[in-house]
Amino acid sequence: MNKLLLKQVSILSIIAGIILALLTLIPVVGQLAFIVLMALVSAIIIVFMAKFDLIDIMEIRESVVLGALIGFVSFLAFAVVFLPAAWVLGRFFNLAYLYGISMILNVGSFGIIFLLTLFVAVLSATINAFSAFITFYVLEFLKSIEKNDNDKFKL
């Protein structure tokens, strides 16, 4: 993979993580935004990049690595924004839906919270690697169908 692609993917992952962190703070859409972060953010970024021709169809191995990178970086960006915001909202405004997270942040040490965040980021990377694999497979399949249709009309 080239460095430009990795920079573009990292920047898009950080932006997606920040947006999903802000959406997770909203009580109604919080659970859906977290599910999108954990399982679908790599598919969304890959489809976005394919739509604007920023990425080409690559090998399966590269797609899995790309999805893992997207999942890991987006969750770390999510945690950097969400955890302090959840602590502030839970501490000062005493919101019920953030009570558990606020309690963990008050009781847990920095090391424990850091390790928990790191482990969940690895879990997100694993799930998003599989999601990216499926996305690349579907994009490749759709391109082959389009190519076959174009070949039929050339005859």
Side-chain angles (χ1 to χ4, degrees):
M1 276 191 257
N2 57 11
K3 291 183 181 180
L4 179 64
L5 176 65
L6 291 177
K7 287 179 185 178
Q8 290 173 341
V9 165
S10 298
I11 290 170
L12 285 174
S13 299
I14 290 170
I15 292 169
I18 291 170
I19 290 170
L20 289 170
L22 295 175
L23 287 176
T24 305
L25 291 171
I26 301 170
V28 178
V29 296
Q31 292 175 348
L32 181 64
F34 189 74
I35 291 170
V36 167
L37 173 75
M38 290 298 290
L40 299 174
V41 72
S42 64
I44 293 168
I45 290 175
I46 288 171
V47 168
F48 175 78
M49 292 181 77
K51 180 118 174 125
F52 292 108
D53 292 328
L54 297 173
I55 193 170
D56 291 331
I57 300 298
M58 51 182 76
E59 295 180 10
I60 299 297
R61 185 176 345 127
E62 291 177 351
S63 69
V64 170
V65 169
L66 193 66
L69 177 72
I70 291 170
F72 189 79
V73 170
S74 64
F75 189 83
L76 288 181
F78 169 84
V80 165
V81 173
F82 178 75
L83 291 178
W87 181 78
V88 167
L89 289 174
R91 181 86 172 173
F92 296 114
F93 296 110
N94 209 9
L95 299 173
Y97 73 95
L98 292 174
Y99 179 72
I101 293 172
S102 177
M103 185 175 64
I104 289 172
L105 292 175
N106 285 333
V107 175
S109 67
F110 177 76
I112 298 293
I113 293 169
F114 178 74
L115 283 176
L116 181 64
T117 302
L118 202 61
F119 287 143
V120 176
V122 169
L123 176 66
S124 175
T126 306
I127 295 169
N128 277 299
F130 180 72
S131 179
F133 165 70
I134 296 298
T135 304
F136 268 97
Y137 183 76
V138 168
L139 287 175
E140 186 176 322
F141 179 72
L142 292 175
K143 262 193 175 176
S144 69
I145 288 176
E146 183 179 309
K147 182 181 175 188
N148 288 340
D149 287 343
N150 289 339
D151 289 343
K152 287 180 183 177
F153 290 121
K154 286 182 182 178
L155 294 175

